[in-house]
Each structure stands twice: as C-alpha cells, then as structure tokens.
Amino acid sequence: MELEPTEAELLGTSLAELDPELSALVAGELARQRGTLDLVASESVPPRAVLEAQGSILTAKYADGYPGRRDYDTCGWVDEIESLAIERAKSLFCAEHANVQPYSGSNANMSVLHALCEPGDPVLGWDFEHGGHPTHYYSGTFAGRFYRASAYGVRREDRLVDMDQVAEMAERIRPRVIFAGWSCYPRFLDFRRFREICDEVGAYLVVDMAHFAGLVAAGVHPDPVPYADACTMTVHKTLGGARGGAILAREELAERIDDGVYPGEQGCPLPHVIAAKAVTFKLAATQAYRSRMARVVEGAQAMAAAIAEREPETSCPVVTGGTDVHQLLVDLSPAGLEANATMARLNEAGVSANAMRIAYDPAEPPGGSGLRLGATALATRGFARAEFTAVGHLLADGLADHSGSRTAELARRVDELLSSFPLFGFLGS
Ligand SMILES: *Cc1c(COP(=O)(O)O)cnc(C)c1O
C-alpha cells in the first residue's frame, strides 16, 4: 500500500513530482513556445536570471510600504532589493524618481491617474482601435469609470496620430492628464508637441511607454523622460524581463505617485517580482541588450519591407508603409480578409500574432482587419535581418493563401526557421 506523504515531504517536493497534472500543462506551454513563431508584439523571452528571481523565496515576504518605511521591521533585505531596483530604473532612464511596485502596466496607469487626478476629472487618452490602450479612457476600465475620459486617434489619410485633434480636444476639455503612448502604432511620437499642448492647457503629460520602454532604454527610440511628468511602462514587453509595471516621474511628483501606487491602488508589493525587475534593469543597461534592441527594430523593418514588397500579390498593405519600432501593422481589408479567421489560419502553421480592429475598420465588430506583428520575442531568440525577411515572405505566402492549402508547407518552414534557435535550452528537453 502506498503511504500518504507527510506534510514536510509535500513542502519539499518538486512540482513535477507533487503535481504531475499541472506540471504537464506547463511542459505543454513550454513546447508550444519552443515550436511557435512568436510575433505577438507584447511578448518577449524572459532571461533565466529573471525567472530565478521571480521564482525565488522572496515570494514569502510581506513588505507593505517603501524602503525605510514599511509596516514590518523585518524588511532589511527587501529594502535593499527594492532600492537597487529603483536606482537601476532611475539610472537606466535618467529619471528623477522611479516606483517599481506596480503589478502591471494597467496598475501603473491606474496609480498615476489616482495620483494626479480627482475622481471625475477630465482625462484625454488614445483610442484603443486607433492603437492606444483601454486604460487611458475606456468606460470598461477604471479610466472611463472614475474619470471623465475622452480619446483621440489617428488620421484617416495617413494613419498618423492627429496632433491637431489632440490640441483641439485638449483646448476643449481641459484634461488633467493627457496620455501619449500606444499598444499598436508603428511610428515615433512628437513628445515635444505633446508637452507644448499640455503646457497650454495645464495638463500633466503621462507617456505610456508600456510597449517601447525597452527601445527607449536602448537608445533606439526618442526619449520621453525629459518631456513627461510621468512615464508608465511594463517591464515584460520590449524591456523583456519581469512580469510587471513601473513608473518614472519628476521629483516633485514622487510622493504623490508613490501614494497613488501604495496605498492608493495596491497592497503589498511583490518582492520577488521587484527583484526580477532589478535584474531586468541591469540587463537592459548592457551593450548586448542595446544591440539586441537594434536588431529588434531592424527585424520589424525587414518583415515590413518583405510584406510591403509582396503587396501586389497579397493586397495587404503595411500601415504607414513601414515601421520605426519593434512592431508593424498589416491591413487585411483590401484583400477582403478578416483578421481573426486569418490569424486562426496562421496559427495552424505555428505562427502567433495579434488579430485586431484598426482605425476606420470596415469589418463589423467583433471582426477586425488588422494583423499586428512584433519582432521582440524572435530577436531575443536570436533572429536577425535574414530570418526576419524570411518570416515576412512566409507571412505574405500565408496571407495570399486564402484557402489554407499551403498550411502544411508553411508549418515546415516555421519549424525550419526555429530549429536553429533553441529556446530555454537551460530547461532541458
Ligand atoms: C500592455 C499595455 C498596458 C498594460 O500592461 P499590462 O501589464 O498588460 O497590464 C498599458 N498600456 C499600454 C500602452 C500597453 O500596451
């Protein structure tokens, strides 16, 4: 008869032994990641050291408050860890103040609004269907529920953010906060112009660099920090590390921002994730990281060029004709393709990306006409220009293949591309 394990045994048992059912699911996801051509623009490949820090014993610690001022007097080590993360974030972005506690990019936006606005204050964000984020204004989020939020968008003719509309709306609604920053937009923003508009109407400028923080850190994207009152970010998108958010701010807003995060919108910080953020910021300050981010942008541009070159055949133009950043947007509507169905077809070949609605989308919701493609994960895996060009042609072949008759061939090409770039080798097979 099998003996019931003791509690001590259970506490010391590995995941694989303790919970084979869950362990098999994680292994399934590992295999999926290894075998997928990951073009999801928000995804990256977390480094081993980040995974170690985020999975460490720090997860046991309660540490409400900030370094040097906690509700517990047993926080010496986590104080040092959080201070290290803060100092590294400030140094990486040349920022006066950093808060590394936000659980996510959404929490960072929520905390900044808490810090800078009163409930009911007007706020101006960027329309989600035009590339922005729901946490800037949408009624289904805190932003639209607790503030009087409106959204600007991109122009129909060139799909670029309409700064005249931003200025006109700002003049009319006198927002407390203007968000600049996107989830899906292929071009640089004019931070100076955003600053001028904010100054004209007395608004705070919050740059939401959730997507492009890594590019800023690497110096391959204009730096918003000198213009913004606060910058919010995720640490896991192009920054490529810990799963969570962070906020940078001008020194005079430091206390309000900190209060907005804790106790404003969050409870105890996550010391294990803060440790992983410290590791991320250390890595992002290296020359290797800067080279990788340059390769990310080059990769996105190579994909865009290949897809644009094939437009006569696919009828799928690249929105704005190319990209300055890690992602690009393909418009499927001239080909009469619906994005979700097209994505499902590409999924069959082992490609993952985002199907989405786009500005002036002719498709009836919940359908959409946009395919967002990002280069971060694959560049982190090792892809360079030649591979990204091959990916662009693979996608063009997929887009042209309306019937799905080439799916098996595309899947073989995906496997071949991935085979030279093993993922998470340190985890074994
Ligand atoms: C991803 C994203 C967020 C939210 O980040 P989460 O960590 O997913 O909550 C906020 N703003 C923008 C612009 C984003 O792209």
Short mmCIF file of all heavy atoms in Angstrom, two decimals, residues 104-106 109 133 135 182-183 208 210-211 234 236-237, ligand 1:
data_model
loop_
_atom_site.label_atom_id
_atom_site.label_comp_id
_atom_site.label_asym_id
_atom_site.label_seq_id
_atom_site.Cartn_x
_atom_site.Cartn_y
_atom_site.Cartn_z
N SER A 104 1.39 45.67 -12.76
CA SER A 104 1.28 45.54 -14.21
C SER A 104 1.29 46.93 -14.83
O SER A 104 1.25 47.94 -14.10
CB SER A 104 -0.04 44.84 -14.58
OG SER A 104 -1.12 45.72 -14.31
N GLY A 105 1.29 46.98 -16.16
CA GLY A 105 1.19 48.26 -16.84
C GLY A 105 -0.15 48.93 -16.56
O GLY A 105 -0.22 50.16 -16.40
N SER A 106 -1.21 48.14 -16.48
CA SER A 106 -2.52 48.70 -16.18
C SER A 106 -2.53 49.32 -14.78
O SER A 106 -3.07 50.41 -14.58
CB SER A 106 -3.59 47.61 -16.26
OG SER A 106 -3.63 47.07 -17.56
N ASN A 109 -0.91 52.72 -14.83
CA ASN A 109 -1.78 53.79 -15.31
C ASN A 109 -2.83 54.17 -14.27
O ASN A 109 -3.12 55.35 -14.05
CB ASN A 109 -2.46 53.37 -16.62
CG ASN A 109 -1.49 53.41 -17.79
OD1 ASN A 109 -0.43 54.03 -17.71
ND2 ASN A 109 -1.85 52.74 -18.87
N HIS A 133 -4.65 52.48 -25.65
CA HIS A 133 -4.91 51.42 -24.67
C HIS A 133 -6.18 51.74 -23.88
O HIS A 133 -6.40 52.90 -23.53
CB HIS A 133 -3.72 51.26 -23.73
CG HIS A 133 -3.72 49.94 -23.03
ND1 HIS A 133 -4.27 49.75 -21.77
CD2 HIS A 133 -3.28 48.72 -23.43
CE1 HIS A 133 -4.13 48.48 -21.43
NE2 HIS A 133 -3.55 47.83 -22.40
N THR A 135 -6.92 51.43 -20.87
CA THR A 135 -6.71 52.03 -19.55
C THR A 135 -6.43 53.53 -19.62
O THR A 135 -6.13 54.15 -18.61
CB THR A 135 -5.53 51.35 -18.81
OG1 THR A 135 -4.36 51.45 -19.62
CG2 THR A 135 -5.83 49.88 -18.54
N TRP A 182 1.19 53.96 -26.85
CA TRP A 182 0.37 53.09 -27.67
C TRP A 182 0.64 51.62 -27.42
O TRP A 182 1.68 51.24 -26.88
CB TRP A 182 0.62 53.40 -29.14
CG TRP A 182 2.06 53.65 -29.48
CD1 TRP A 182 2.65 54.87 -29.67
CD2 TRP A 182 3.11 52.68 -29.65
NE1 TRP A 182 3.98 54.71 -29.95
CE2 TRP A 182 4.29 53.38 -29.95
CE3 TRP A 182 3.16 51.29 -29.58
CZ2 TRP A 182 5.52 52.74 -30.18
CZ3 TRP A 182 4.39 50.65 -29.81
CH2 TRP A 182 5.54 51.38 -30.11
N SER A 183 -0.33 50.82 -27.90
CA SER A 183 -0.14 49.37 -27.96
C SER A 183 0.13 48.93 -29.39
O SER A 183 0.72 47.89 -29.63
CB SER A 183 -1.40 48.64 -27.50
OG SER A 183 -1.59 48.82 -26.14
N ASP A 208 2.81 56.70 -21.79
CA ASP A 208 2.64 55.27 -21.50
C ASP A 208 3.54 54.52 -22.47
O ASP A 208 3.17 54.26 -23.61
CB ASP A 208 1.17 54.89 -21.69
CG ASP A 208 0.92 53.41 -21.43
OD1 ASP A 208 1.91 52.67 -21.23
OD2 ASP A 208 -0.25 53.01 -21.42
N ALA A 210 4.53 51.47 -22.25
CA ALA A 210 4.42 50.02 -22.00
C ALA A 210 5.11 49.22 -23.09
O ALA A 210 5.83 48.26 -22.81
CB ALA A 210 2.95 49.62 -21.91
N HIS A 211 4.89 49.61 -24.35
CA HIS A 211 5.47 48.84 -25.45
C HIS A 211 6.90 49.21 -25.75
O HIS A 211 7.73 48.35 -26.02
CB HIS A 211 4.61 49.00 -26.72
CG HIS A 211 3.73 47.82 -26.94
ND1 HIS A 211 4.14 46.72 -27.66
CD2 HIS A 211 2.49 47.54 -26.49
CE1 HIS A 211 3.18 45.81 -27.65
NE2 HIS A 211 2.17 46.29 -26.95
N THR A 234 5.55 48.73 -18.88
CA THR A 234 5.62 47.35 -18.44
C THR A 234 7.09 46.96 -18.49
O THR A 234 7.88 47.55 -19.24
CB THR A 234 4.85 46.39 -19.37
OG1 THR A 234 5.49 46.36 -20.65
CG2 THR A 234 3.39 46.82 -19.56
N HIS A 236 7.90 43.75 -19.03
CA HIS A 236 7.95 42.46 -19.72
C HIS A 236 7.75 42.54 -21.23
O HIS A 236 7.83 41.54 -21.92
CB HIS A 236 6.88 41.52 -19.14
CG HIS A 236 5.51 42.13 -19.06
ND1 HIS A 236 5.06 42.80 -17.94
CD2 HIS A 236 4.50 42.20 -19.95
CE1 HIS A 236 3.84 43.25 -18.15
NE2 HIS A 236 3.47 42.89 -19.37
N LYS A 237 7.43 43.71 -21.78
CA LYS A 237 7.25 43.78 -23.24
C LYS A 237 8.63 43.95 -23.89
O LYS A 237 9.44 43.05 -23.79
CB LYS A 237 6.23 44.86 -23.59
CG LYS A 237 4.80 44.45 -23.15
CD LYS A 237 3.74 45.49 -23.46
CE LYS A 237 2.37 45.02 -22.97
NZ LYS A 237 1.34 46.07 -23.10
C1 LIG B 1 0.27 46.40 -22.43
C2 LIG B 1 -0.12 47.80 -22.19
C3 LIG B 1 -0.62 48.23 -20.95
C4 LIG B 1 -0.99 47.26 -19.86
O1 LIG B 1 0.03 46.46 -19.39
P1 LIG B 1 -0.36 45.10 -18.61
O2 LIG B 1 0.89 44.75 -17.89
O3 LIG B 1 -0.77 44.14 -19.66
O4 LIG B 1 -1.49 45.45 -17.68
C5 LIG B 1 -0.88 49.56 -20.76
N1 LIG B 1 -0.66 50.46 -21.74
C6 LIG B 1 -0.20 50.09 -22.95
C7 LIG B 1 0.02 51.14 -23.98
C8 LIG B 1 0.07 48.76 -23.22
O5 LIG B 1 0.49 48.40 -24.43
#
